[in-house]
Amino acid sequence: MTDYRRLRVALLGAGAVGSQVAALLRQHADELADRAGARLELVGIAVRDIDATRDVDLPRELFTTDAESLILGADIVIELMGGIEPARAYVLQAINSGADVVTANKALLATHGPEIFDAADQVGAEVYYEAAAAGAIPIIRPLRDSLAGDRVQRIMGIVNGTTNYILDRMDAEGAEFGDVLVDAQRLGYAESDPTADVEGYDAAQKAAILASLAFHTTVPLDAVHREGITGIDKSTMDAARHAGYVIKLLAVCERLDGGSGESISVRVYPALIERDHPLASVHGANNAVFVQAEAAGNLMFYGAGAGGVQTASAVLGDVVSAARRHIAGGVGVGESTLANLPIVAIGRVTTRYQITLEVDDQPGVLATVAGILSDGRVSIATLEQTVAGEEANIARLVIGTHKALEQDLSETVSRLATSGVVERVVSVLRVEGE
Ligand code: NAP
């Protein structure tokens, strides 16, 4: 057996991901040593409750509640506790004591990323976070390293497994949102408090991380426009299917070329995509990230966006990278935010839309609707009129628009809603994917 140098690895957290990381570090110790060029010695695991039952068997003597002492003297600190505090304080302590950090904590990076990366820069430490966006899927390293010589134009990601599971089942079974959510909670796909997933907060954190990397710009979480999927009901799903679309919760990070120079837009919302788009075939709780780069063209990264052991794979990849850097020496890659592009508000974004209205089924109504759209600089691409269910004198209009400015579109929809001929604005969805 090769006599490798030993690196001390401290693990913070032994929950769904941490316990799997600990088990794999121990099971594959020899193989990992050969790959990393160093023996990765798990010196301790900080938890809240030493006696809690764990997903895997681990020696009791590894556990401690004293995270601070564990961090001191570690070469690599793996933070898998989640949440902001005390994770932030421990990560900063690790950096300042000379360790490299591996974390899967999207909430922490989306809110305190600049502070953490700056602290790492100051001391020449490195922060690795492959598992913080889209779980097991390698997307951070491709954006940070593989595409470092290219220019990313757009990222469209299905980065939240819970919402994809819900929307996929609503689409496949014609089920209602509330029924599928209850089922998803029973099966463990959704938390008992599903807000972070269904309201798009989790996806927004990942969007902020991906956009920061892709556009070399610090993207604060509050610059990400966010909408969730709670407004999507069976009738919206049916209308989308009928028009040849599927609805997905998308994280869209886009480079915009305007007269006054480049800017970016980062947004999370349920959107329509054509059924033959690669993202339409992402089913169940899977994730996928579709990247469009100037030279590379279209790339798609697909796989498990969560799960303890799957996420542990990404974490261990980072641990091996950190170990190699320790052995080879030299400064880390660091975060490049030098482009510092302005981030535009959602009102300045242009997309296509599908507007579904219930209107009075009377002569002249169509002309009134068309007039309001045209006055609002929203141009009609397709229009379909059907009778709305059992209701007498009510027609349903499904209007597909050409690209329009979000601000124009929302003002126009407000005008339609109060026009006197529109009974109900059933839904307004963006169309993404061209
Ligand atoms: P988890 O199951 O809730 O486990 C959290 C662990 O951290 C527990 O072992 C807990 O100790 C420990 N912990 C929490 N607060 C602590 C404190 N103040 N001091 C010491 N230990 C503390 O979390 P997880 O699902 O493994 O997620 C960990 C991280 O990975 C999160 O940032 C999450 O967003 C990210 N992530 C998770 C997944 C996934 O599929 N689960 C996927 C991608 C990314 P006790 O066990 O003693 O309570």
Side-chain angles (χ1 to χ4, degrees):
M1 201 165 66
T2 317
D3 189 18
Y4 289 114
R5 181 179 149 192
R6 284 177 184 275
L7 292 178
R8 292 165 60 85
V9 178
L11 177 60
L12 312 182
V17 185
S19 59
Q20 300 293 340
V21 167
L24 291 173
L25 269 173
R26 289 163 53 80
Q27 271 166 33
H28 302 312
D30 292 343
E31 229 177 298
L32 287 169
D34 287 340
R35 287 189 204 153
R39 189 152 281 278
L40 300 167
E41 187 186 355
L42 181 60
V43 290
I45 308 173
V47 290
R48 277 178 300 211
D49 177 6
I50 288 180
D51 296 316
T53 312
R54 303 286 159 198
D55 294 349
V56 294
D57 275 340
L58 294 162
R60 196 174 188 282
E61 60 272 18
L62 280 178
F63 287 92
T64 175
T65 53
D66 184 359
E68 288 181 18
S69 302
L70 181 63
I71 292 166
L72 286 175
D75 298 299
I76 298 169
V77 173
I78 310 173
E79 185 278 304
L80 294 170
M81 292 170 25
I84 306 296
E85 290 295 356
R88 171 184 157 277
Y90 292 155
V91 163
L92 291 173
Q93 186 202 336
I95 289 168
N96 291 323
S97 65
D100 278 346
V101 170
V102 175
T103 179
N105 194 333
K106 59 214 148 224
L108 179 63
L109 293 178
T111 49
H112 293 279
E115 180 190 18
I116 289 168
F117 297 130
D118 279 355
D121 258 4
Q122 299 288 321
V123 296
E126 185 87 350
V127 180
Y128 300 84
Y129 52 99
E130 185 59 73
I137 304 172
I139 184 63
I140 300 298
R141 208 168 271 109
L143 287 175
R144 184 148 103 165
D145 299 337
S146 322
L147 291 168
D150 206 334
R151 279 166 57 83
V152 173
Q153 298 295 356
R154 186 148 62 144
I155 296 175
M156 286 192 295
I158 295 173
V159 292
N160 180 271
T162 306
T163 45
N164 201 58
Y165 174 85
I166 293 171
L167 293 173
D168 193 34
R169 278 196 51 191
M170 287 175 73
D171 179 50
E173 299 167 19
E176 279 292 359
F177 172 80
D179 297 336
V180 183
L181 174 61
V182 169
D183 226 24
Q185 286 169 318
R186 188 177 54 78
L187 294 166
Y189 287 111
E191 307 273 344
S192 51
D193 176 359
T195 313
D197 293 319
V198 299
E199 295 293 358
Y201 290 100
D202 173 84
Q205 290 169 350
K206 293 165 182 169
I209 293 171
L210 295 177
S212 298
L213 270 177
F215 304 125
H216 308 279
T217 293
T218 299
V219 177
L221 193 51
D222 59 13
V224 181
H225 175 83
R226 176 196 54 77
E227 294 170 34
I229 65 162
T230 49
I232 306 294
D233 61 10
K234 180 173 157 18
S235 70
T236 317
M237 269 288 174
D238 290 345
R241 192 180 315 105
H242 181 72
Y245 294 114
V246 59
I247 301 176
K248 296 287 187 191
L249 182 73
L250 292 184
V252 182
C253 316
E254 196 172 29
R255 188 190 292 273
L256 307 169
D257 292 312
S260 53
E262 284 192 336
S263 56
I264 60 171
S265 155
V266 190
R267 49 198 201 260
V268 168
Y269 46 50
L272 298 166
I273 50 174
E274 308 259 0
R275 286 204 171 249
D276 59 2
H277 191 280
L279 287 174
S281 58
V282 178
H283 297 294
N286 281 308
N287 282 196
V289 184
F290 189 76
V291 180
Q292 295 173 287
E294 201 173 85
N298 294 347
L299 306 166
M300 171 121 143
F301 302 82
Y302 168 84
V309 73
Q310 293 88 342
T311 306
S313 160
V315 172
L316 281 171
D318 281 350
V319 174
V320 169
S321 295
R324 286 179 180 153
R325 192 178 89 84
H326 264 269
I327 299 304
V331 292
V333 184
E335 295 308 298
S336 152
T337 54
L338 295 176
N340 206 11
L341 295 172
I343 306 165
V344 299
I346 186 73
R348 307 306 306 158
V349 170
T350 55
T351 53
R352 294 201 292 131
Y353 296 83
Q354 185 176 284
I355 307 165
T356 305
L357 305 172
E358 282 178 5
V359 297
D360 298 337
D361 193 7
Q362 282 176 16
V365 166
L366 214 53
T368 306
V369 168
I372 293 171
L373 286 164
S374 153
D375 289 350
R377 292 179 295 274
V378 178
S379 131
I380 300 174
T382 59
L383 189 142
E384 192 186 72
Q385 177 172 355
T386 49
V387 175
E390 310 286 290
E391 300 268 354
N393 302 326
I394 298 288
R396 177 169 285 217
L397 291 184
V398 180
I399 302 161
T401 76
H402 289 293
K403 278 196 169 180
L405 195 63
E406 172 93 16
Q407 197 175 326
D408 289 343
L409 191 282
S410 63
E411 287 169 11
T412 303
V413 170
S414 302
R415 248 174 269 135
L416 283 169
T418 54
S419 64
V421 297
V422 172
E423 289 291 322
R424 188 163 79 98
V425 178
V426 180
S427 65
V428 180
L429 286 168
R430 290 95 174 174
V431 182
E432 293 284 356
E434 298 98 319

